[in-house]
Amino acid sequence: MTKLLFAVTAADHWTLNDGSDHPTGFWAEELVESHRTFVEAGWDVVVATPGGKAPVVDEGSLSVDANGGDDAKVADQRKYLDSIESILQSPALLEEQLAADFDALFVPGGHGPMQDLAVSDQFGAVVSDFLDGGKLVSAVCHAPAALLPATRSDGVWAFDGYEMTGFTNEEETQAGLADKAPWLLETRLRESGAQFSNTDAWAPHVVVDRNVYTGQNPASTKPLADRVVEALS
């Protein structure tokens, strides 16, 4: 059975450039669509968070507006989150997880990873172990931020030269947070050495480079999860 480390942010806010806290967490669609896809594939999915803290959903991600005006989509997400509430309330301790125990890593987004996973050297070391072990590494939307702390002893980023995608500066601007953000994901990925790829704002876009699989935005979650399952089937 394929075993997946499903690393979820434990942050409930994102500190903006004026010092204020923007309420956040994980983005519902990104967690729901990926987790459900992996479970339906028959995988052993281990949900883990920093400190083993129960993750929180970004309530904005459950608004009708954030889901294209689709009430049924929001209802489906709420129903799925309710069905896995016991799992989310008692996640594994992310700091105790070892790449050697898993076949793949997946990180769902939301602004939460920008707050905690992006600055965790300990998680960065785990990510590096997945990458160097030839195991599949995957992240969607803002979650490629969780790959940033994976640096070598010489300071070079482990993903230097890899083609990848993530939430774009254009999308952050349209979402209304670009001018308040302490840093922008697309900019940071480019500066770190990624070969950044993107399509039109909010359109699905998946990039695969060797064992690294990334998705641009929430709409990319299901296509990305399907590619991950296909790769390991």
Side-chain angles (χ1 to χ4, degrees):
M1 178 185 294
T2 299
K3 190 173 183 181
L4 175 83
L5 177 57
F6 196 80
V8 183
T9 176
D12 61 5
H13 70 278
W14 184 30
T15 304
L16 302 179
N17 56 20
D18 63 359
S20 64
D21 289 342
H22 174 70
T24 187
F26 64 81
W27 198 258
E29 180 176 3
E30 296 167 29
L31 187 143
V32 168
E33 292 299 339
S34 57
H35 188 274
R36 178 160 51 196
T37 298
F38 301 139
V39 170
E40 290 180 349
W43 291 7
D44 179 6
V45 180
V46 177
V47 175
T49 65
K53 181 181 178 182
V56 297
V57 64
D58 185 326
E59 287 297 334
S61 69
L62 289 169
S63 70
V64 175
D65 287 345
N67 288 277
D70 192 340
D71 291 303
K73 182 178 177 181
V74 174
D76 173 70
Q77 290 173 10
R78 289 191 181 278
K79 182 178 180 181
Y80 190 79
L81 289 175
D82 287 344
S83 75
I84 62 171
E85 182 178 6
S86 61
I87 295 173
L88 296 179
Q89 288 301 310
S90 56
L93 188 66
L94 186 57
E95 292 81 358
E96 293 182 348
Q97 307 310 307
L98 302 174
D101 296 332
F102 296 91
D103 301 295
L105 166 68
F106 185 89
V107 190
H111 284 107
M114 305 276 281
Q115 183 74 19
D116 57 4
L117 297 179
V119 296
S120 172
D121 291 336
Q122 189 170 5
F123 185 60
V126 173
V127 172
S128 294
D129 287 344
F130 271 94
L131 183 69
D132 295 343
K135 298 185 176 185
L136 194 149
V137 174
S138 186
V140 66
C141 200
H142 286 92
L147 310 183
L148 289 170
T151 55
R152 306 299 188 195
S153 58
D154 59 2
V156 175
W157 189 38
F159 295 88
D160 183 32
Y162 277 78
E163 183 180 5
M164 64 176 62
T165 189
F167 204 63
T168 65
N169 292 352
E170 179 184 5
E171 288 166 327
E172 199 73 83
T173 299
Q174 292 182 13
L177 282 172
D179 61 339
K180 304 174 184 177
W183 50 277
L184 296 173
L185 179 61
E186 177 185 343
T187 298
R188 183 66 63 83
L189 290 174
R190 290 183 183 277
E191 291 175 347
S192 298
Q195 300 300 310
F196 193 85
S197 169
N198 63 279
T199 189
D200 295 338
W202 312 109
H205 183 54
V206 173
V207 173
V208 177
D209 185 351
R210 288 159 280 183
N211 55 325
V212 179
Y213 290 60
T214 50
Q216 179 174 320
N217 46 37
S220 306
T221 308
K222 177 59 174 170
L224 174 63
D226 286 341
R227 288 289 296 276
V228 170
V229 170
E230 179 183 359
L232 295 180
S233 62

